[in-house]
Amino acid sequence: ISEFEPPEWHKVEVVTPCPTESHGLQGTIKGHDLFGYVGIEAVLDQMRRKTMKAGFEFNIMVVGQSGLGKSTLVNTLFKSKVSRKSCSPNYEEKISKTVKLQSVSHVIEEKGVKMKLTVIDTPGFGDQINNENCWEPIVSYVNEQYERYLKEELYVNRKPRIPDTRVHCCVYFLPATGHWLRPIDVEFMKRLGKIVSIVPIIAKADTLTMEERQEFKQRIRQDLNANGIRVYPQTEYDEDPEDRILNDKIRENIPFAVVGTDKEHQVNGNKVLGRKTKWGIIEVENVAHCEFTNLRDLLIRSHLQDLKDVTHNIHYETFRVRRLNESNLTVHGLALILESPPESDLQYTVANTATASCFYSIL
Amino acid sequence: NCQSSIPSHGKSLQDKNARPLSLSGHVGFDSLPHQLVNKSTCQGFCFNILCIGETGIGKSTLMDTLFNTNFENFESSHFEPKVKLRAQTYDLQESNVRLKLTIVNTVGFGDQMNKQESYQHVVDYIDTQFESYLQEELKIKRSLHNYHDSRIHACLYFIAPSGHSLKSLDLVTMKKLDSKVNIIPVIAKADTISKSELHKFKIKIMSELVSNGVQIYQFPTDDETVSKINTAMNGILPFAVVGSSEEVKIGNKMVKARQYPWGVVQVENENHCDFVKLREMLICVNMEDLREQTHTRHYELYRRCKLEEMGFTDTNPESKPVSLQETYEAKRHEFLGDLQRREEEMRQMFVQRVKEKETELKEAERELQGKFEQLKRLHSEEKSKLDEKRRSLEDEINTFSKKKAAAELLQGQSFNTNANLKKDKDRKK
């Protein structure tokens, strides 16, 4: 995190075209030299302060068959017992008969930054004998959150802060088979990839050797491409060349092979998170062992805000367009009725329509 | 990102459904504010200032001084028939922060003989920017995060340094604007007022504003980091400012100042005027808050009023919640019904007209037919008359030719006889 440079005399770039002036309208932009300190950069600090005060919301959904370590991974990611399993008093490890979504929220704080984290669990997914359409409850849930947000947004009297329950990220757990994507994986990611940002991961990756892992990843990437599945970070949403380079590196490495645990062991005199086996300790936060840190960095340290932005600016907007179109709003939507058509135009249109149809009836 | 992506402050995150939890290690989401700020830095910021004040009061000079640049303005005349607004946008950059600054100046404010309509253009301009944003927000395919936000974030109201009190135009204008924009009143050309007069003047102005119920912008005091300085500044309002683009040498430095025979007024000297305080408050400390207030308070108010005006409510007469969509659909239905009805009316009218025309034409045709019949009759009558005449004429001709033939015959006979007689005579000779 860079601190600001102390204010000093800055020479500044000039960006050309010339100004125009017009009555009440915006002129074009002209760049200017600043001859001395103004203090514009202080706005960054102001923004930081305000966002810290307001706090953040983040909603993450975990999808995968039981036993793939979803709860453990989420707990490891957020270094606390955030999953439903860990906080329901009467939690029983039962295979549920249908896919039921359950969410649990916690407020966590780090260095003054407050985050309301909601983890949405999908027990029962892929666990039935017949798993056809098991994604439907999930698709409904995602769309329902968009619907809720849209409704709040359309109120005349709106809340100053619309509660955001939209799914910002969906982590999809692939079992470490080493082969290819299974039909359920393809079907799920195809459908959900259109409405939410999917981050596929290889769960319980400590059963794969490094070579097997690389091969598996390649096959998965091939499969994803072949089926037209878009996972996060999507190439279309790269904002500038810098972004693209950064995201390309990530895309070359997905899906991340992760191992999760909340147990600590001593390794070389340090306490590390790891899974102890007879043949060694798998260090979760060691990049040589597994890619947990890559996942954590992606989801939390570098792309958290981006995940939220993509959800808000792209997925939500796509939903909104579709939804408003469905309810028969015209192309100009609500804006149309803010400007009632001028009288003369109306008569002209009506007259023309009347003339045309009458003409034919007389003939 | 010219539209703030910061969740607006209001309710905090405390929620009955969310339990607080402690972390057992460093997770890393403390970088969130930085992630957010980095994105905004890439996209740039927007800031729009409206300067209202009489011609020649020093609006442009103050802007130049505030932003440490030369915006190339020119003097306006005092003879503008109506108040106009002139908006210009500039791209400024300081270290890695790009700011799209729009400065809107009033032209001819306070110059007219009749100032009753002076504030209207200003109000209209502000409303237009809100309307623009609202339109974009209501579009089906919209792009809010790319939208160039033109809404006014701060309004600097320039008070003339009379030393006495506010002018009635000032009060009326500010009252009209206080629910639409963040007003920051400043005393312009403060170097014409002495310190003691200034103190009295400020008190008078503030009490007049309070007694007239004008809500000026209050620097926010809820954030501990800045509450102290903001509270202090709230007590110094309105800022007495002096602007200058010229520099004067003081000691061994060149400073922005105004040189008089009796001394030099230094713009950035806090003992001389409140310029530095204004810059501090407007830009360094509260720019973000000004933008936020514009969006969450003034814009929301405009939106609510506008939608209510159009007949949208959140609850219908039976107090059941009604969505904007339902209201819209009802309106659209009504609108289409209306359209159809008028189309039908026009159609009926058209058909009627055609029928009328048809009958007219039929009438005319009948008339024509009648005339034709008559003419035909006349014609055949004439014809038969003529035929008769012709026959009688023919008869006459016949008779005549018979007579003629008979006469010729007779003549011929007599000639013959004469000729015979003559022959006989000749023979006898």
Side-chain angles (χ1 to χ4, degrees):
Chain A
I1 308 137
S2 64
E3 299 300 316
F4 319 108
E5 305 156 280
E8 38 180 317
W9 196 85
H10 293 284
K11 179 83 170 42
V12 155
E13 285 133 24
V14 178
V15 173
T16 25
C18 42
T20 60
E21 61 170 89
S22 33
H23 171 48
L25 299 169
Q26 300 291 344
T28 53
I29 295 148
K30 176 176 182 173
H32 273 276
D33 279 331
L34 295 183
F35 303 130
Y37 172 70
V38 175
I40 299 172
E41 50 179 12
V43 76
L44 295 178
D45 201 32
Q46 295 171 33
M47 223 181 166
R48 239 172 294 214
R49 261 188 294 114
K50 279 205 178 270
T51 51
M52 278 184 49
K53 191 153 179 281
F56 299 88
E57 289 162 306
F58 189 63
N59 309 317
I60 183 170
M61 181 189 268
V62 283
V63 183
Q65 287 165 274
S66 347
L68 283 180
K70 301 189 292 288
S71 304
T72 315
L73 184 71
V74 160
N75 286 350
T76 320
L77 267 176
F78 292 99
K79 294 258 162 77
S80 58
K81 300 207 184 299
V82 284
S83 76
R84 191 183 46 97
K85 197 182 208 168
S86 325
C87 44
S88 312
N90 306 317
Y91 184 83
E92 280 170 42
E93 194 79 63
K94 251 196 318 207
I95 303 266
S96 62
K97 295 215 176 63
T98 53
V99 181
K100 270 183 307 190
L101 284 96
Q102 284 161 349
S103 72
V104 78
S105 303
H106 291 97
V107 174
I108 44 182
E109 184 178 332
E110 196 170 59
K111 296 210 182 125
V113 178
K114 280 207 193 77
M115 178 157 87
K116 180 176 173 201
L117 174 72
T118 304
V119 178
I120 303 136
D121 203 355
T122 55
F125 178 83
D127 288 335
Q128 321 307 329
I129 293 182
N130 182 356
N131 285 308
E132 267 173 16
N133 302 325
C134 61
W135 48 81
E136 273 170 10
I138 300 176
V139 171
S140 305
Y141 179 86
V142 170
N143 284 330
E144 216 176 275
Q145 308 317 305
Y146 290 143
E147 179 78 31
R148 215 182 270 194
Y149 193 90
L150 180 64
K151 199 155 166 226
E152 291 278 345
E153 201 190 19
L154 289 179
Y155 277 146
V156 174
N157 258 314
R158 304 198 277 205
K159 297 198 177 108
R161 183 189 173 137
I162 300 177
D164 191 358
T165 55
R166 303 171 292 184
V167 179
H168 299 129
C169 172
C170 172
V171 182
Y172 188 72
F173 286 65
L174 297 164
T177 61
H179 299 163
W180 299 88
L181 289 178
R182 306 163 299 161
I184 191 179
D185 300 329
V186 171
E187 284 307 306
F188 179 84
M189 287 199 275
K190 230 191 206 164
R191 287 154 211 283
L192 270 286
K194 297 198 180 103
I195 58 176
V196 78
S197 295
I198 299 189
V199 176
I201 58 165
I202 302 171
K204 296 199 165 172
D206 47 344
T207 60
L208 295 169
T209 65
M210 292 298 128
E211 296 81 30
E212 284 167 351
R213 183 201 287 182
Q214 280 306 109
E215 250 186 65
F216 188 31
K217 281 208 221 183
Q218 224 170 340
R219 290 206 194 118
I220 292 176
R221 283 197 293 268
Q222 267 180 314
D223 253 350
L224 290 175
N225 254 333
N227 285 288
I229 298 171
R230 293 249 165 287
V231 298
Y232 184 83
Q234 300 94 330
T235 34
E236 309 83 83
Y237 311 144
D238 285 342
E239 290 187 358
D240 52 46
E242 266 177 40
D243 262 2
R244 175 146 304 201
I245 297 174
L246 209 80
N247 290 342
D248 274 343
K249 279 210 196 89
I250 296 169
R251 284 186 277 262
E252 278 161 28
N253 227 350
I254 51 163
F256 292 126
V258 291
V259 175
T261 185
D262 48 6
K263 298 206 170 53
E264 286 184 335
H265 304 274
Q266 288 281 355
V267 172
N268 294 336
N270 293 326
K271 263 195 156 190
V272 291
L273 274 177
R275 280 173 63 77
K276 190 162 180 193
T277 65
K278 292 242 156 47
W279 46 92
I281 297 181
I282 305 155
E283 293 163 49
V284 166
E285 280 169 323
N286 186 337
V287 279
H289 290 194
C290 79
E291 293 173 320
F292 170 80
T293 38
N294 301 51
L295 179 69
R296 181 198 53 202
D297 288 348
L298 175 73
L299 287 186
I300 302 175
R301 295 192 186 172
S302 60
H303 284 67
L304 188 69
Q305 186 57 41
D306 189 57
L307 280 163
K308 291 177 48 150
D309 284 344
V310 167
T311 307
H312 180 64
N313 294 331
I314 297 167
H315 295 302
Y316 170 69
E317 288 296 317
T318 312
F319 172 82
R320 183 177 175 276
V321 169
R322 188 165 40 91
R323 186 74 180 83
L324 294 183
N325 275 329
E326 271 168 22
S327 57
N328 283 321
L329 295 183
T330 66
V331 172
H332 299 294
L334 296 160
L336 175 73
I337 52 165
L338 287 185
E339 277 172 82
S340 12
E343 277 296 312
S344 51
D345 277 4
L346 177 61
Q347 277 176 352
Y348 178 77
T349 329
V350 170
N352 277 348
T353 339
T355 319
S357 49
C358 287
F359 183 67
Y360 285 116
S361 65
I362 286 175
L363 266 188
Chain B
N1 177 16
C2 292
Q3 142 62 19
S4 174
S5 63
I6 303 173
S8 353
H9 73 81
K11 286 210 189 118
S12 71
L13 289 176
Q14 300 308 73
D15 201 328
K16 357 178 222 319
N17 302 324
R19 288 162 272 191
L21 214 57
S22 55
L23 303 172
S24 61
H26 180 62
V27 177
F29 61 86
D30 57 336
S31 65
L32 248 185
H34 301 289
Q35 288 181 38
L36 184 72
V37 166
N38 279 339
K39 272 198 171 249
S40 301
T41 315
C42 293
Q43 285 159 330
F45 297 87
C46 263
F47 195 57
N48 309 320
I49 304 181
L50 168 66
C51 294
I52 307 183
E54 295 169 357
T55 312
I57 204 169
K59 306 185 284 291
S60 313
T61 315
L62 186 69
M63 287 297 110
D64 281 353
T65 323
L66 205 60
F67 289 99
N68 247 325
T69 180
N70 184 357
F71 287 127
E72 275 172 40
N73 295 285
F74 44 89
E75 291 174 9
S76 324
S77 94
H78 283 270
F79 290 91
E80 298 284 348
K82 272 179 135 152
V83 175
K84 291 206 302 239
L85 286 110
R86 188 194 299 148
Q88 277 160 306
T89 309
Y90 308 93
D91 252 338
L92 303 178
Q93 187 165 343
E94 190 174 71
S95 62
N96 63 337
V97 181
R98 274 181 304 122
L99 182 71
K100 204 170 245 162
L101 175 73
T102 301
I103 298 180
V104 185
N105 274 320
T106 55
V107 176
F109 189 78
D111 278 334
Q112 295 78 26
M113 295 283 271
N114 182 356
K115 298 189 251 253
Q116 274 181 328
E117 294 300 300
S118 295
Y119 61 76
Q120 197 54 51
H121 273 212
V122 183
V123 170
D124 289 343
Y125 179 84
I126 296 175
D127 278 347
T128 310
Q129 310 318 307
F130 283 145
E131 183 67 31
S132 225
Y133 189 88
L134 182 63
Q135 295 268 347
E136 183 67 31
E137 196 185 25
L138 291 178
K139 275 196 190 147
I140 291 192
K141 268 205 154 140
R142 59 188 189 179
S143 82
L144 277 178
H145 64 288
N146 278 332
Y147 181 76
H148 177 197
D149 191 0
S150 58
R151 300 173 293 181
I152 300 291
H153 302 122
C155 169
L156 290 180
Y157 194 94
F158 287 69
I159 299 169
S162 65
H164 301 309
S165 60
L166 287 172
K167 301 198 178 132
S168 43
L169 176 64
D170 295 338
L171 278 169
V172 163
T173 309
M174 282 200 266
K175 192 83 181 87
K176 284 278 171 199
L177 295 177
D178 69 354
S179 59
K180 292 190 179 287
V181 78
N182 300 316
I183 302 182
I184 302 176
V186 296
I187 300 172
K189 298 197 168 176
D191 51 349
T192 59
I193 314 183
S194 75
K195 214 164 186 164
S196 53
E197 284 174 349
L198 186 63
H199 187 64
K200 273 192 241 153
F201 191 29
K202 283 192 185 184
I203 295 179
K204 189 77 177 25
I205 292 175
M206 292 310 277
S207 73
E208 280 195 324
L209 289 175
V210 165
S211 58
N212 281 283
V214 175
Q215 304 265 14
I216 58 169
Y217 176 72
Q218 292 292 312
F219 302 119
T221 50
D222 48 356
D223 184 348
E224 322 76 53
T225 336
V226 293
S227 71
K228 207 163 155 213
I229 188 172
N230 276 344
T231 324
M233 292 296 157
N234 276 327
I236 300 182
L237 283 172
F239 293 127
V241 293
V242 174
S244 171
S245 336
E246 265 128 42
E247 295 192 332
V248 170
K249 192 161 190 172
I250 300 283
N252 53 358
K253 278 205 299 181
M254 292 298 280
V255 294
K256 284 196 281 272
R258 287 177 65 77
Q259 180 143 50
Y260 293 106
W262 48 87
V264 179
V265 178
Q266 295 160 43
V267 169
E268 279 167 323
N269 184 332
E270 296 198 53
N271 284 325
H272 290 196
C273 74
D274 299 328
F275 171 81
V276 171
K277 299 192 175 79
L278 174 68
R279 183 175 62 197
E280 209 36 40
M281 288 292 104
L282 186 65
I283 302 174
C284 309
V285 178
N286 297 305
M287 199 197 292
E288 191 54 37
D289 186 67
L290 284 162
R291 282 158 31 107
E292 196 183 300
Q293 291 289 323
T294 306
H295 181 64
T296 57
R297 193 145 59 92
H298 301 298
Y299 169 71
E300 281 299 308
L301 180 65
Y302 175 83
R303 176 181 177 274
R304 186 164 53 238
C305 291
K306 191 68 197 258
L307 291 178
E308 280 175 359
E309 206 179 279
M310 302 259 109
F312 287 98
T313 47
D314 287 331
T315 57
N316 63 19
E318 290 99 55
S319 295
K320 285 216 277 270
V322 147
S323 73
L324 202 71
Q325 254 160 266
E326 285 173 44
T327 318
Y328 172 79
E329 268 166 40
K331 270 201 173 270
R332 186 172 178 273
H333 204 68
E334 199 187 301
F335 175 72
L336 283 179
D338 209 34
L339 248 182
Q340 260 181 352
R341 195 170 30 88
R342 291 163 81 167
E343 185 179 328
E344 200 49 48
E345 264 177 33
M346 298 223 118
R347 176 202 288 262
Q348 298 287 19
M349 199 163 64
F350 186 83
V351 169
Q352 180 78 357
R353 285 266 203 70
V354 168
K355 278 211 175 99
E356 281 174 19
K357 200 77 187 181
E358 241 178 14
T359 15
E360 253 181 55
L361 285 173
K362 277 213 175 100
E363 203 37 69
E365 202 182 316
R366 224 177 310 143
E367 228 174 297
L368 219 67
Q369 188 76 351
K371 275 210 181 120
F372 176 70
E373 297 285 315
Q374 203 187 24
L375 276 173
K376 203 163 150 191
R377 228 178 316 125
L378 274 170
H379 174 256
S380 60
E381 268 179 32
E382 287 246 357
K383 190 161 178 226
S384 48
K385 272 199 200 142
L386 275 171
D387 273 343
E388 234 188 79
K389 277 208 175 137
R390 181 153 47 101
R391 246 182 289 126
S392 62
L393 188 64
E394 273 179 10
D395 280 349
E396 271 190 42
I397 291 176
N398 273 343
T399 330
F400 176 74
S401 25
K402 274 193 195 142
K403 274 195 184 158
K404 183 172 173 200
E408 276 179 354
L409 196 63
L410 250 144
Q411 210 178 45
Q413 276 178 347
S414 76
F415 184 71
N416 265 348
T417 323
N418 278 355
N420 281 345
L421 274 174
K422 201 166 181 207
K423 253 198 232 165
D424 282 343
K425 242 184 198 169
D426 281 338
R427 257 190 294 135
K428 275 177 188 173
K429 275 185 189 158

